Amino acid sequence: MQLSFQEMYDAIGTKNPAFEGMFITGVKSTGIFCRPSCRARKPLAKNVEFFRSSEEALKAGYRPCKICRPMDHDPDTPQEIRDLIKRLHNEPQVRIRDQDLRDLLYDPVSVRRWFNKHHNMTFQCYQRLIRLNAGYREIEDGQSVLNTALDAGFESLSGFSERYSSVFGSSPRSKNKKSIIHVHRFSGKLGSMFIAATQKGICLLEFTERKMLETEFDDLRKRCHAVLMPGTNEHIEQLKKELEEYFAGERICFQVKLDLVGTDFQKQVWNCLLNIPYGETISYKQQALSMGRGEAVRAVARANGMNKVAIVVPCHRVIGSDGNLTGYAGGLPRKRWLLDLEASNTTH
Ligand SMILES: [Zn+2]
């Protein structure tokens, strides 16, 4: 049964256990998500959005509430997992690797198993989302602080530089010396995504739970000698509009300017992807042949996998020669959805 917004809003804070597990409340003004019965002050309706699960709220950029602890509140949650989650929340910028877990006397395999079983994501993915959500939010909130810091020399703000670099790579020493890449998070039909753009055009469009995201941010920063900053520009605004039209089946080609960032070979491969018409698919083999690189199928497939501009550079239109969907960074259900959308729009 699907509860209405009003029913869910009315249920917030009633402590009625019947609503537990039925929805999660995201509070836009604080960036925090809660269980239905949280004791925290009830937010205004206009500041609330609802999710089916904690994972959805995390992917949309929220952080778990420290009062109702939506990630670990289940009475069966072992104490050591609670401790681990608490540690993460206190220092979101610190990465806990398998070896660190062992040093803390945890068994990495059982930690991974617990997160998979209870939250349908890996411990690494959970950490990454917490890190991104904490950092992005703080930087967004702290725009004026950030500008002051940039003017005064970034290192003068203790701690801030560290949290900034945990999301966007090394800290900018001076904004005057480097170009700026704007990064913007938005919620689209297929979930929460990051868009990034230089002055010249779009250089990244990715789902927020994409494993490679931080590596891609890093690659952008290095290759463009740029600073990544939350914010938007005309290319980002144009792409948001075009994406909405695309998702609604009202747009079959994107007109927004692109600024593809990668090696020469990667750019060649991505430009080849841009030539695959809407509603059509080709195999990796065909793609390699069309580039005159029939011997390099695997290298072409690898470069497809490094595509940073999902959907617009349509790597979803490449499938296995046996018709299998093979892989997709955004997950196979999304690839299927995109191909179905395009197919249903071209048959009539
Ligand atoms: Zn709460």
Side-chain angles (χ1 to χ4, degrees):
M1 188 195 68
Q2 188 67 48
L3 294 170
S4 70
F5 183 95
Q6 196 58 47
E7 284 171 310
M8 290 189 275
Y9 186 71
D10 290 342
I12 297 177
T14 56
K15 307 217 165 56
N16 181 346
F19 291 101
E20 278 308 306
M22 298 200 53
F23 67 87
I24 286 288
T25 312
V27 185
K28 292 180 207 163
S29 46
T30 57
I32 299 289
F33 68 89
C34 286
R35 300 180 312 114
S37 62
C38 183
R39 290 181 282 111
R41 200 155 59 89
K42 184 164 177 164
L44 297 173
K46 69 173 166 67
N47 288 332
V48 163
E49 70 178 314
F50 292 109
F51 299 96
R52 274 170 304 181
S53 63
S54 298
E55 298 79 70
E56 276 186 15
L58 275 171
K59 286 175 186 172
Y62 289 89
R63 280 171 293 157
C65 168
K66 284 182 181 160
I67 299 173
C68 63
R69 304 199 314 266
M71 294 299 292
D72 63 341
H73 188 272
D74 187 330
D76 295 336
T77 304
Q79 189 56 44
E80 58 267 28
I81 296 284
R82 288 169 197 252
D83 293 344
L84 191 58
I85 289 177
K86 194 166 173 196
R87 175 185 286 266
L88 261 183
H89 291 185
N90 290 340
E91 289 181 291
Q93 71 275 22
V94 175
R95 291 182 197 210
I96 305 177
R97 299 186 167 85
D98 278 4
Q99 189 52 52
D100 305 318
L101 285 173
R102 280 185 218 108
D103 292 347
L104 294 163
L105 304 178
Y106 284 91
D107 169 22
V109 176
S110 26
V111 170
R112 204 170 303 141
R113 209 173 280 148
W114 189 87
F115 274 89
N116 274 330
K117 183 168 172 226
H118 294 268
H119 294 298
N120 198 23
M121 63 172 67
T122 64
F123 177 58
Q124 298 306 328
C125 179
Y126 179 67
Q127 280 195 62
R128 194 166 54 242
L129 286 168
I130 292 289
R131 193 159 65 229
L132 277 169
N133 295 354
Y136 185 84
R137 175 89 195 184
E138 177 165 7
I139 293 156
E140 206 179 30
D141 286 350
Q143 274 304 320
S144 57
V145 183
L146 182 64
N147 285 329
T148 319
L150 286 168
D151 291 340
F154 202 79
E155 282 70 19
S156 63
L157 275 189
S158 70
F160 192 76
S161 161
E162 222 179 297
R163 292 191 289 277
Y164 182 95
S165 48
S166 72
V167 183
F168 294 121
S170 76
S171 57
R173 275 168 212 288
S174 159
K175 66 176 168 186
N176 301 325
K177 284 192 200 131
K178 294 184 169 186
S179 57
I180 288 177
I181 295 177
H182 287 295
V183 184
H184 177 76
R185 177 166 35 207
F186 80 108
S187 272
K189 179 128 184 176
L190 291 188
S192 174
M193 302 186 85
F194 276 112
I195 306 181
T198 63
Q199 298 303 312
K200 287 186 232 156
I202 299 294
C203 56
L204 178 139
L205 174 64
E206 286 287 13
F207 296 99
T208 47
E209 78 269 25
R210 159 87 146 137
K211 267 197 201 113
M212 298 279 289
L213 194 58
E214 285 161 309
T215 314
E216 291 181 335
F217 281 158
D218 213 37
D219 191 48
L220 286 179
R221 193 174 54 74
K222 285 188 186 136
R223 285 187 195 277
C224 301
H225 304 287
V227 174
L228 270 63
M229 302 251 274
T232 184
N233 66 15
E234 77 268 27
H235 304 300
I236 292 175
E237 291 307 307
Q238 185 182 344
L239 178 55
K240 273 164 69 183
K241 196 166 153 280
E242 292 190 6
L243 273 173
E244 238 170 70
E245 294 162 356
Y246 169 85
F247 286 138
E250 290 157 7
R251 172 174 287 278
I252 61 170
C253 82
F254 290 92
Q255 278 155 339
V256 68
K257 288 207 184 94
L258 298 178
D259 185 6
L260 301 181
V261 177
T263 64
D264 288 343
F265 178 69
Q266 286 171 342
K267 284 188 205 170
Q268 216 182 320
V269 170
W270 300 335
N271 276 310
C272 176
L273 291 173
L274 285 166
N275 289 329
I276 311 172
Y278 184 97
E280 287 179 27
T281 55
I282 64 170
S283 68
Y284 294 99
K285 181 97 204 232
Q286 285 170 310
Q287 188 190 359
L289 284 171
S290 79
M291 293 174 61
R293 297 293 302 267
E295 83 296 348
V297 179
R298 289 176 74 174
V300 168
R302 211 167 27 245
N304 279 355
M306 305 293 279
N307 172 27
K308 296 184 194 66
V309 190
I311 301 175
V312 181
V313 177
C315 56
H316 60 277
R317 293 179 195 151
V318 183
I319 60 175
S321 37
D322 54 1
N324 272 328
L325 290 189
T326 66
Y328 189 57
L332 286 180
R334 286 195 180 110
K335 185 169 183 174
R336 166 94 287 159
W337 192 93
L338 292 168
L339 292 175
D340 285 350
L341 166 78
E342 298 186 359
S344 67
N345 252 336
T346 38
T347 46
H348 51 80

